[in-house]
């Protein structure tokens, strides 16, 4: 059960491998659209939904594929990578400003969160968007500041 897994670390390589291979294994089971939103929730077994239950999944990416299919997984990863890309552009634009440490932290947090547990961990999700919003607001600050500098010349 859970206590055995929490106290043992013998299957770490297998669990790391599952993070990458899990979504591809789930695609074989779901087709293009998945089982539906919420079908991998822990409490779904207590509900009489009348539809087939999604198979158990451990990694978030695998759960996303099971719920909303590979198209949904692509969209979620595209959004996450777009945020990382924007934060990288912002970071290169604001070097040497007071915003640099904040944007660096936001960029690193967004980067390590690409394969992370954002959809099913609500606290991490809130923190992710707070950090991304802070980092991206620095981009707006840099643009306004550069326009002010050009007007003063």
């Amino acid at each position: 059960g859970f206590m055995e897994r929490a106290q043992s670390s013998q299957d770490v390589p297998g669990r790391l491998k599952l993070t990458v291979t899990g979504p591809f294994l789930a695609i074989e089971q779901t087709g293009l659209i998945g089982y539906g939103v919420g079908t991998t929730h822990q409490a779904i077994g207590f509900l009489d939904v009348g539809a087939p239950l999604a198979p158990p999944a451990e990694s978030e990416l695998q759960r996303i594929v099971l719920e909303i299919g590979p198209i949904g997984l692509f969209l979620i990863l595209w959004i996450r990578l777009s945020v990382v890309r924007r934060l990288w552009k912002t970071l290169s634009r604001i070097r040497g400003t007071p915003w640099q440490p904040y944007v660096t932290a936001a960029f690193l947090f967004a980067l390590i969160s690409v394969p992370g547990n954002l959809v099913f961990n609500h606290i991490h999700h809130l923190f992710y968007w707070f950090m991304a919003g802070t980092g991206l607001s620095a981009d707006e600050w840099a643009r306004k500041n550069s326009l002010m500098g050009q007007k003063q010349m």
Side-chain angles (χ1 to χ4, degrees), residues 23-46:
F24 298 108
L25 298 172
I27 289 172
E28 296 172 1
Q29 300 169 334
T30 62
L32 286 177
I33 58 172
Y35 286 91
V37 175
T39 54
T40 63
H41 192 273
Q42 302 91 317
I44 197 73
F46 296 109

Side-chain angles (χ1 to χ4, degrees), residues 56-77:
E58 184 169 327
S59 76
E60 179 180 73
L61 299 180
Q62 186 178 11
R63 289 174 70 183
I64 290 170
V65 170
L66 288 172
E67 286 195 11
I68 57 178
I71 296 170
L73 176 68
F74 171 78
L75 291 173
I76 286 174
L77 289 176

Side-chain angles (χ1 to χ4, degrees), residues 83 87 106-107 109-110 126-138:
V83 168
L87 286 169
F107 168 74
F109 188 74
L126 288 170
F127 193 61
Y128 173 86
W129 285 110
F130 173 77
M131 294 287 285
T134 301
L136 295 174
S137 66

Side-chain angles (χ1 to χ4, degrees), residues 98-129:
W99 283 91
Q100 185 177 355
Y102 302 108
V103 177
T104 302
F107 168 74
L108 292 173
F109 188 74
L111 185 63
I112 64 171
S113 295
V114 169
N117 195 10
L118 284 175
V119 174
F120 298 102
N121 182 338
H122 305 297
I123 302 301
H124 187 194
H125 180 84
L126 288 170
F127 193 61
Y128 173 86
W129 285 110

